[in-house]
């Protein structure tokens, strides 16, 4: 079985490769990355350069994990980073190739009136979501062969050891909490915060590759659903796990920041923050503000593949992060002060 994996150096791509090569199936894996990190990876700047000869088919399956997940992308940036590469990948497919396309659990978007922050992307809160929705439309319209779309939410470490290829996404929030830069969290403590361990995302993806190809396009949504964490529970797990790790090393605990309701934050506190905070503090506020829509959902997602114990997976991920980043996990938070304060 010949399988091509794009984005093999990314968070999901690394785990998919690991899972595929360790399977008992007879699989020939070709790994593709824009910036290869190993001799057995093929370099291809997808969407901006022709595919190299090594990528000629036919392929039994193509797993397209390559993407830019930056929430700050504008429309043109998102097209260049995600839409054009997806168009290029479609050019590699035969009529019988099973395309397994990694998307996001938020690709459907939401009523713009429900957005915590006004968006220029209609139903979508940022350029990443919008571009992944565009990519889903592309693959559904242009690929006549078997198609599986895999939609994960925010991704954390493995359920076995908490490891992950790169500490991005939700780990930004963890670092801000450990350093004291998260002076408050904007959102509702009862809001839903969906997380998925990276090994489960890979298992669903690899299961699609090795299983029977669907006769009609199939969508797999990975989420906790009724078992998803609430934002208050997420904060309890993160701070509680960090403080256990710190106590084992004789380091004073960090405090849990208060919650500020979204409407109150944007109406009263954010205008004052822009006036009185330092540039570094304001940058942190804006960065954490991007998590509002992801950690305060009114309702949990409806999974086809359920995350059974997100709290345990999160705790293990936090411990792994602290072990890998001991200097950051050991920081003594400094109280905030306004400019000149």
């Amino acid at each position: 079985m010949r399988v091509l994996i794009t984005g093999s150096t990314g968070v999901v791509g690394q785990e998919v490769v690991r899972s595929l090569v360790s399977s008992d199936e007879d699989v020939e894996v070709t790994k593709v990355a824009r910036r290869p990190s190993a001799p057995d990876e093929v370099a291809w700047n997808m969407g901006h350069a022709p595919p190299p000869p090594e990528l000629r088919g036919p392929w039994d399956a193509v797993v397209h994990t390559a993407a830019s997940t930056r929430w700050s992308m504008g429309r043109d940036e998102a097209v260049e980073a995600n839409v054009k590469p997806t168009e290029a990948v479609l050019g590699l497919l035969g009529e019988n190739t099973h395309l397994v396309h990694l998307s996001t659990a938020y690709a459907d978007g939401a009523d713009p009136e429900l957005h915590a922050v006004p968006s220029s992307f209609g139903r979508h809160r940022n350029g990443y979501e919008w571009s992944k929705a565009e990519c889903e439309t592309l693959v559904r319209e242009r690929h006549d062969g078997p198609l599986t779309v895999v939609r994960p939410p925010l991704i954390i470490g493995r359920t076995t050891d908490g490891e992950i290829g790169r500490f991005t996404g939700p780990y930004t929030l963890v670092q801000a909490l450990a350093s004291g830069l998260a002076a408050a969290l904007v959102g509702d403590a009862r809001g839903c915060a969906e997380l998925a361990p990276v090994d489960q995302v890979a298992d669903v993806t690899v299961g699609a590759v090795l299983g029977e190809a669907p006769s009609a396009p199939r969508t797999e949504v990975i989420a906790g659903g009724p078992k998803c964490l609430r934002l208050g529970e997420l904060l309890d797990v993160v701070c509680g796990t960090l403080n256990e790790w710190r106590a084992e090393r004789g380091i004073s605990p960090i405090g849990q920041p208060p919650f500020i309701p979204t409407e109150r934050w944007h109406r009263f506190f954010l205008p004052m923050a822009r006036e009185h905070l330092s540039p570094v503090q304001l940058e942190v506020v804006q960065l954490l503000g991007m998590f509002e829509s992801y950690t305060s959902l009114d309702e949990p997602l409806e999974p086809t593949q359920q995350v059974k114990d997100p709290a345990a997976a999160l705790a293990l991920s936090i411990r792994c992060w602290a072990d890998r980043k001991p200097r950051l996990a050991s920081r003594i938070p400094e109280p905030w002060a306004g400019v000149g304060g």
Side-chain angles (χ1 to χ4, degrees):
M1 183 180 196
R2 299 189 72 221
V3 179
L4 174 69
I5 300 176
T6 71
S8 60
T9 59
V11 166
V12 175
Q14 290 181 52
E15 198 69 21
V16 169
V17 169
R18 177 176 176 270
S19 181
L20 263 179
V21 299
S22 64
S23 73
D24 295 329
E25 302 294 328
D26 183 15
V27 181
E28 176 190 334
V29 176
T30 298
K31 299 180 288 183
V32 178
R34 188 158 61 95
R35 296 188 183 93
S37 59
D40 63 343
E41 291 171 340
V42 179
W44 183 27
N45 189 6
M46 289 178 292
H48 304 281
E54 302 96 310
L55 303 187
R56 293 197 184 109
W59 300 102
D60 295 297
V62 170
V63 183
H64 183 39
T65 75
S68 172
T69 59
R70 289 185 298 111
W71 295 339
S72 58
M73 290 187 291
R75 195 172 297 258
D76 290 343
E77 278 183 290
V79 168
E80 295 293 321
N82 291 335
V83 179
K84 286 187 176 180
T86 299
E87 289 180 321
V89 168
L90 287 170
L92 301 178
L93 308 181
E95 61 179 10
N96 295 317
T97 303
H98 182 188
L99 174 61
V100 182
H101 176 72
L102 265 291
S103 186
T104 173
Y106 311 100
D108 286 338
D111 186 334
E113 293 184 2
L114 300 178
H115 291 174
V117 182
S119 167
S120 60
F121 294 97
R123 290 183 56 82
H124 299 97
R125 291 164 287 200
N126 52 57
Y128 168 64
E129 282 185 8
W130 173 82
S131 67
K132 296 307 285 185
E134 291 292 302
C135 290
E136 283 198 20
T137 299
L138 270 177
V139 299
R140 293 179 193 279
E141 290 181 348
R142 297 193 188 180
H143 182 50
D144 295 329
L147 171 65
T148 299
V149 175
V150 179
R151 291 179 166 186
L154 298 178
I155 297 176
I156 56 176
R158 293 196 290 256
T159 54
T160 54
D161 54 14
E163 291 283 359
I164 193 169
R166 197 174 300 143
F167 294 115
T168 58
Y171 293 94
T172 305
L173 177 60
V174 176
Q175 182 173 330
L177 289 168
S179 65
L181 287 174
L185 287 185
V186 179
D188 181 357
R190 293 294 303 161
C192 299
E194 290 280 13
L195 304 169
V198 67
D199 56 335
Q200 184 172 0
V201 178
D203 286 347
V204 172
T205 303
V206 171
V209 171
L210 300 180
E212 184 177 351
S215 57
R218 175 177 62 199
T219 300
E220 299 281 13
V221 178
I222 306 166
K227 292 188 176 182
C228 84
L229 291 174
R230 303 290 173 166
L231 180 56
E233 294 171 332
L234 180 148
L235 188 62
D236 288 342
V237 171
V238 172
C239 293
T241 305
L242 275 176
N243 284 337
E244 287 176 4
W245 185 93
R246 291 165 71 97
E248 291 164 4
R249 292 156 180 79
I251 306 170
S252 59
I254 62 171
Q256 291 193 194
F259 290 100
I260 300 177
T262 299
E263 184 178 355
R264 189 178 179 202
W265 168 255
H266 287 281
R267 181 171 296 181
F268 300 108
F269 287 94
L270 187 56
M272 288 191 294
R274 290 180 175 135
E275 182 178 352
H276 296 291
L277 295 184
S278 70
V280 171
Q281 291 169 337
L282 188 56
E283 184 178 350
V284 172
V285 166
Q286 292 170 336
L287 178 62
L288 294 180
M290 295 182 181
F291 285 93
E292 287 178 49
S293 300
Y294 294 94
T295 55
S296 296
L297 300 174
D298 290 333
E299 298 291 337
L301 300 171
E302 294 186 10
T304 61
Q305 304 286 339
Q306 189 174 46
V307 179
K308 295 181 179 178
D309 195 348
L314 178 60
L316 203 55
S317 298
I318 298 304
R319 275 203 166 264
C320 178
W321 175 85
D323 288 339
R324 296 286 179 268
K325 305 282 186 180
R327 185 181 62 82
L328 294 174
S330 301
R331 286 186 62 175
I332 305 301
E334 298 179 6
W336 278 37
V339 176

